[in-house]
């Protein structure tokens, strides 16, 4: 871990685009898994029952293991692990570390996403959603819902309908994700303008005492603990954490200059550390307030009647509000590189971010440094995603150009 703080002179010109990693398709079987585990290459597919399931996402799982999620059209989702001992495929619709999952699926629920050993989301027959977590962790989900109450009433939030120690059932937030421009058509600009206006109105909820409760649109819950604060130093810690998680993958990928992507990440983290230290906001500053902390287009819903809604608020806390805007802007730029948005569609989002930041009086440099931090983190995250791992050099190049 490169924890030493250092000031790195910014380069005046953009570095050459990182060389892409070998894109040859790899199908992992039990026989080839040992070699894969040593090389730590994320496969394009895993073989289950004689069929190749496409690996959509993967995550570090500790102990030199990778957790993966794979899909096959018409067959749903399967998950498992891969390490030096071989490939492990969990039984369909089962996860020994998520005790509530099997029952929900047996009752007619549909698996939406599944990070093995950590979390799964299930759409229930009545349209509501259940978050399945490890036993005892459901309270963390509910606490996040409580902390996010300051986003009301401008954002719709999911309501906690029922819960136990490992499952939280949440109501539906109306609308569509602000991820697919085709779904919104001519309403794209309106949806983003209204959503960012709603974000600008959020207020950090004062700390209360008493048990955590599910937030409603009419009554704010009482929190059992103080609202956590995520500062500049915490953001640097997040970067170091993801750097360590992705280190083996970053070491195997090289730039056109022959350097590893890890070297670029280390240099960029040093730059971000120095830039954040140079302008750390005061807790009394108007730029401190309620933040989502993982704000991007898939977390925001919009409906032409009910307006914007917000999802996955488990990370809600107090912090520099520029962090949310920088995170959102980095994702907008990445969506263009992914080919999911046109430059014009991304420009709508970037312009709305600039409008809201200017109206709030945020320092543009703070938005930019948090955007840079997000680009670095995304490079580490997408190193685990086979469909995009050969493009993470672009993310680092974009960060270097800032």
């Amino acid at each position: 871990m490169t924890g030493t703080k250092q000031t790195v002179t910014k380069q005046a010109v953009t570095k050459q685009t990182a060389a892409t990693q070998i894109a040859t398709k790899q199908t992992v079987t039990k026989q080839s898994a040992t070699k894969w585990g040593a090389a730590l290459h994320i496969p394009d597919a895993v073989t289950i029952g004689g069929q190749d399931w496409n690996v959509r996402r993967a995550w570090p799982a500790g102990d030199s293991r990778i957790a993966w999620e794979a899909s096959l059209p018409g067959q749903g989702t399967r998950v498992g692990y891969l390490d030096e001992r071989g490939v492990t495929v969990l039984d369909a619709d089962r996860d020994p570390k998520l005790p509530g999952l099997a029952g929900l699926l047996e009752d007619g629920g549909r698996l939406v996403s599944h990070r093995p050993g950590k979390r799964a989301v299930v759409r229930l027959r009545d349209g509501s959603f259940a978050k399945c977590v490890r036993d005892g962790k459901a309270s963390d989900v509910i606490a996040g819902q409580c902390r996010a109450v300051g986003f009301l009433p401008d954002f719709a939030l999911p309501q906690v309908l029922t819960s136990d120690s490992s499952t939280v059932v949440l109501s539906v937030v109306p609308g569509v994700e602000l991820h697919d421009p085709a779904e919104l058509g001519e309403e794209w600009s309106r949806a983003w303008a209204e959503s960012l206006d709603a974000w600008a109105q959020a207020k950090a909820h004062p700390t209360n005492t008493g048990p955590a409760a599910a937030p409603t649109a009419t009554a704010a819950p009482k929190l059992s603990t103080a609202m956590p604060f995520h500062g500049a130093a915490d953001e640097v810690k997040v970067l170091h954490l993801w750097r360590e998680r992705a280190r083996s993958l970053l070491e195997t990928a090289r730039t056109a200059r022959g350097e590893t992507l890890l070297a670029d990440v280390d240099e960029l983290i040093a730059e971000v550390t120095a830039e954040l230290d140079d302008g750390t906001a005061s807790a009394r500053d108007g730029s401190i307030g309620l933040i989502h902390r993982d704000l991007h287009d898939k977390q925001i819903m919009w409906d032409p009647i009910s307006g914007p809604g917000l999802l996955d608020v488990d990370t809600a806390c107090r912090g520099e509000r520029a962090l949310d805007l920088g995170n959102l802007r980095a994702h907008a730029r990445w969506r263009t590189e992914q080919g999911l948005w046109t430059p014009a569609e991304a420009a709508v989002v970037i312009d709305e971010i600039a409008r809201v930041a200017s109206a709030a009086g945020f320092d543009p440099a703070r938005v930019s440094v948090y955007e840079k931090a997000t680009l670095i983190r995304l490079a580490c995250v997408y190193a685990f995603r086979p469909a995009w791992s050969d493009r993470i050099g672009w993310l680092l190049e974009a960060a270097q150009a800032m």
Side-chain angles (χ1 to χ4, degrees), residues 23-160:
T24 304
K25 180 177 177 64
Q26 306 171 65
T27 299
V28 173
T29 63
K30 289 185 178 180
Q31 290 73 28
S32 65
T34 300
K35 183 178 180 180
W36 177 92
L40 207 68
H41 293 147
I42 308 296
D44 294 309
V46 292
T47 302
I48 305 173
Q51 294 180 298
D52 288 349
W53 290 62
N54 294 323
V55 175
R56 296 188 302 192
R57 298 183 294 174
W59 304 267
D63 300 324
S64 300
R65 288 200 309 170
I66 297 291
W68 51 264
E69 177 191 67
S71 64
L72 185 66
Q75 300 294 317
T77 298
R78 296 295 297 272
V79 300
Y81 299 95
L82 195 61
D83 59 23
E84 67 278 2
R85 295 169 298 176
V87 94
T88 301
V89 181
L90 297 188
D91 291 340
D93 302 339
R94 296 290 188 275
D95 189 328
K97 292 189 176 181
L98 305 181
L101 180 60
L104 293 171
L105 296 173
E106 288 171 356
D107 287 341
R110 179 177 62 84
L111 191 61
V112 175
S113 64
H114 187 178
R115 179 177 177 178
K118 288 288 187 179
R119 175 174 297 202
V121 176
V122 177
R123 185 176 185 114
L124 304 181
R125 287 187 297 178
D126 64 1
S128 59
F129 288 87
K131 285 188 176 181
C132 297
V133 291
R134 293 188 179 191
D135 192 39
K137 294 294 185 179
S139 59
D140 294 341
V141 177
I142 296 174
Q145 296 290 132
C146 294
R147 294 194 301 270
V149 71
F151 286 114
L152 295 170
D154 297 277
F155 274 114
L157 296 179
Q159 309 285 307
V160 177

Side-chain angles (χ1 to χ4, degrees), residues 193-274:
E194 291 185 3
S195 296
L196 281 162
D197 283 341
W199 177 88
Q201 296 301 314
K203 304 295 182 184
H205 187 65
T207 302
N208 295 308
T209 57
T216 69
T218 57
K222 294 183 177 181
L223 304 182
S224 57
T225 57
M227 176 78 82
F229 182 82
H230 183 88
D234 299 302
E235 189 68 3
V236 170
K237 289 178 182 177
V238 170
L239 292 181
H240 281 297
L241 176 62
W242 272 105
R243 182 260 190 202
E244 284 301 299
R245 288 170 171 172
R247 177 167 59 174
S248 296
L249 299 173
L250 297 171
E251 284 176 331
T252 60
R254 294 189 175 272
T255 69
R257 305 179 310 281
E259 299 175 0
T260 68
L261 292 188
L262 182 65
D264 280 355
V265 167
D266 286 344
E267 181 178 332
L268 285 164
I269 290 177
E271 290 181 10
V272 166
T273 301

